[in-house]
Amino acid sequence: MEAPHSPAAEAAARLTVDSPEAMQDLGRSLAALLRPGDLVMLTGELGAGKTTLTRGLGEGLGVRGAVTSPTFVIARVHPSLTGGPALVHVDAYRLGGGLDEMEDLDLDVSLPDSVVVVEWGDGKVEDLSEDRLHVVIDRVVGATDDDRRTVTLTGYGTRWSAVDLAGLAA
């Protein structure tokens, strides 16, 4: 089986985030870089902070409704309150069928006018857009109270070639 086409990374940054509040702040900052048509893939184990980051994205985009994990509904649409793009928040954890199953959600219809954020999307949504932002969140594992996370942001495609992701660390 052939791996999905993956364009070369155009932009990358690695940040350290030390609290849930800082993760939400990162989401707010990242929202300023997003525009309609952007696909954001979030990768990280349970409890890494994917939904916390998305909550910050929602605040930064000025969308309606509380951003919570869409695990049981699979996808939630948060319309903009400010005339900007809607936030489509997808949890692909329970979807095993790759793009075929994702197509049932009609994300390709939402994508041009929205910011689509997909948790657990690895190997499932890459073919939706050659231009995408992949966010990998790594946390300290084991029994610890350490809230630090390493967040790696990688932009793929020409959309991200001129975006300064490293500037988010400032």
Side-chain angles (χ1 to χ4, degrees):
M1 182 172 158
E2 233 178 273
H5 171 68
S6 186
E10 298 291 345
R14 182 174 297 221
L15 316 168
T16 299
V17 176
D18 61 6
S19 69
E21 295 78 20
M23 184 67 76
Q24 205 161 329
D25 288 345
L26 175 59
R28 281 191 289 274
S29 297
L30 185 55
L33 301 177
L34 297 175
R35 62 185 190 205
D38 281 344
L39 172 64
V40 180
M41 292 173 42
L42 302 180
T43 301
E45 60 189 71
L46 289 170
K50 297 179 298 296
T51 300
T52 302
L53 179 75
T54 306
R55 190 172 297 121
L57 288 172
E59 289 175 7
L61 291 171
V63 299
R64 185 179 71 212
V67 175
T68 58
S69 178
T71 299
F72 296 104
V73 296
I74 300 177
R76 281 198 173 97
V77 177
H78 298 275
S80 175
L81 294 171
T82 62
L87 172 66
V88 179
H89 185 198
V90 180
D91 186 331
Y93 184 76
R94 296 181 307 145
L95 300 178
L99 194 59
D100 290 341
E101 210 169 331
M102 294 300 289
E103 283 179 353
D104 291 341
L105 298 176
D106 286 333
L107 293 181
D108 52 338
V109 173
S110 301
L111 192 56
D113 301 317
S114 307
V115 170
V116 176
V117 176
V118 182
E119 296 185 26
W120 305 98
D122 288 7
K124 298 175 183 170
V125 299
E126 289 88 344
D127 288 340
L128 282 175
S129 176
E130 287 191 9
D131 296 310
R132 64 185 177 278
L133 180 63
H134 192 178
V135 180
V136 178
I137 305 171
D138 292 305
R139 67 180 178 96
V140 177
V141 294
T144 179
D145 290 336
D146 194 337
D147 283 333
R148 278 179 302 152
R149 307 290 195 261
T150 300
V151 180
T152 305
L153 305 159
T154 307
Y156 293 92
T158 55
R159 153 70 177 103
W160 294 99
S161 62
V163 176
D164 179 20
L165 294 172
L168 291 171

